[in-house]
């Protein structure tokens, strides 16, 4: 596998040029929260996040939802399509938690009567602000049709992935997706799907198995991620 120059280093991954039209994503062991104000290393986290993401991408394939994952290369790396990224983080929520609970000043855990889709501008310098679809069109040069398709695909991902976690006795409370376009303008789910980018609560006890363990100092992060992978692998 040909590995070219590093194109981008994020907080949790390093993206390099791969074969023509392809990228290589390397999962780091670092965890950050609150726009990297809090940071720590968790040896093994990268491999766990890749393994969990692979299970989710395979479920997306089964549900015929287009995504960028091509194949795992090793414990921490996978090959993807090379896409032009939409500069947004698309969050789907099934229950009130995190920043929504703060914004509404409502307790965490309340069930939402429909899944809620929110767009955040992907811009660390601006603190990833919540934005409307219109703002992404009017000020950030996005196409209305693409955002509608992101919304449709995000809800389809929710429908495809919720049962996968439910079978593992985990409730998918919310998650974040990113999207990219290929040369023909088609949209694909990109980035990762891991406990770094979603909230997973035990269906009976409510115990948290995601990055909130680190954000809120609520338990051993790696133990939570290992439990997620173990339960998914038993399906
Ligand atoms: P929030 O409640 O903090 O807005 O987070 C919603 C979901 O998005 C949650 O599952 C965690 C995920 N998320 C990310 O993947 N990256 C981020 O930078 C943030 C703030 C949240």
């Amino acid at each position: 596998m040909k590995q070219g120059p590093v194109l981008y280093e994020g907080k949790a991954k390093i993206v390099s040029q791969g074969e023509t039209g392809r990228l290589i994503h390397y999962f780091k062991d670092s965890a950050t929260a609150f726009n990297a104000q809090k940071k720590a290393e968790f040896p093994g986290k990268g491999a766990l996040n890749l393994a969990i993401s692979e299970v989710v991408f395979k479920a997306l394939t089964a549900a015929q939802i287009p995504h960028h994952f091509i194949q795992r290369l090793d414990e921490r790396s996978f090959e993807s399509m090379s896409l032009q990224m939409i500069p947004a983080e698309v969050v789907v929520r099934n229950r009130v938690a995190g920043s929504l609970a703060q914004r509404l000043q409502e307790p965490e855990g309340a069930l939402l009567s429909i899944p809620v889709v929110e767009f955040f501008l992907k811009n660390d310098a601006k603190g990833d602000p919540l934005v409307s679809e219109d703002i992404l069109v009017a000020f950030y040069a996005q196409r209305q049709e693409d955002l509608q398709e992101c919304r449709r695909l995000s809800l389809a991902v929710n429908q495809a992935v919720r049962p996968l976690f439910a079978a593992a006795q985990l409730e998918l409370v919310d998650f974040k997706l990113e999207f990219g376009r290929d040369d023909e303008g088609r949209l694909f789910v990109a980035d990762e799907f891991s406990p770094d980018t979603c909230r997973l609560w035990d269906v009976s006890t409510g115990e948290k198995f995601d990055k909130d363990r680190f954000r809120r100092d609520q338990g051993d992060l790696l133990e939570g991620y290992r439990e997620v992978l173990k339960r998914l692998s038993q399906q």
Side-chain angles (χ1 to χ4, degrees), residues 10 36 43 45 55 65 84-85 97 109-110 117 123 125 133 152 165 175-176 180 185-186 195 202 207 222:
K45 180 180 86 95
V55 173
I65 296 170
Q84 182 160 17
M85 296 301 290
V117 180
N123 185 322
E133 290 172 55
R152 192 188 70 76
F165 287 111
F175 58 92
K176 185 267 297 181
R186 289 174 300 209
D202 185 275
E207 185 179 353
L222 286 176

Side-chain angles (χ1 to χ4, degrees), residues 111-223:
L111 194 60
L112 294 159
S113 67
I114 55 163
V116 168
V117 180
E118 293 181 331
F119 288 81
F120 294 82
L121 182 69
K122 190 172 166 68
N123 185 322
D124 281 343
K126 295 180 197 282
D128 293 349
L130 175 71
V131 286
S132 64
E133 290 172 55
D134 275 358
I135 288 293
L136 288 170
V137 174
F139 200 71
Y140 293 103
Q142 297 307 301
R143 283 157 36 103
Q144 192 83 61
E145 310 84 86
D146 283 351
L147 301 177
Q148 275 163 12
E149 180 68 355
C150 286
R151 182 185 153 81
R152 192 188 70 76
L153 288 169
S154 297
L155 291 170
V157 170
N158 193 40
Q159 280 208 331
V161 176
R162 247 173 129 180
L164 180 81
F165 287 111
Q169 301 300 305
L170 292 167
E171 176 160 6
L172 182 59
V173 171
D174 54 33
F175 58 92
K176 185 267 297 181
L177 296 176
E178 294 181 30
F179 291 89
R181 269 189 238 104
D182 70 3
D183 289 343
E184 268 114 71
R186 289 174 300 209
L187 281 169
F188 294 79
V189 177
D191 199 47
E192 66 181 273
F193 195 117
S194 76
D196 270 10
T197 60
C198 72
R199 289 194 169 91
L200 295 167
W201 297 355
D202 185 275
V203 290
S204 34
T205 66
E207 185 179 353
K208 295 174 167 65
F209 290 100
D210 54 70
K211 203 168 89 174
D212 275 346
R213 284 184 172 223
F214 168 67
R215 294 188 189 99
R216 305 174 185 188
D217 299 314
Q218 283 174 345
D220 183 332
L221 176 130
L222 286 176
E223 189 187 281

Side-chain angles (χ1 to χ4, degrees), residues 80-108:
S80 82
M81 303 166 67
S82 175
L83 300 169
Q84 182 160 17
M85 296 301 290
I86 305 265
E89 300 197 338
V90 186
V91 170
V92 179
R93 303 180 184 275
N94 296 307
R95 281 187 190 271
V96 175
S99 72
L100 180 64
Q102 281 190 347
R103 208 184 317 140
L104 302 182
Q105 297 179 39
E106 294 287 349
E108 281 205 310

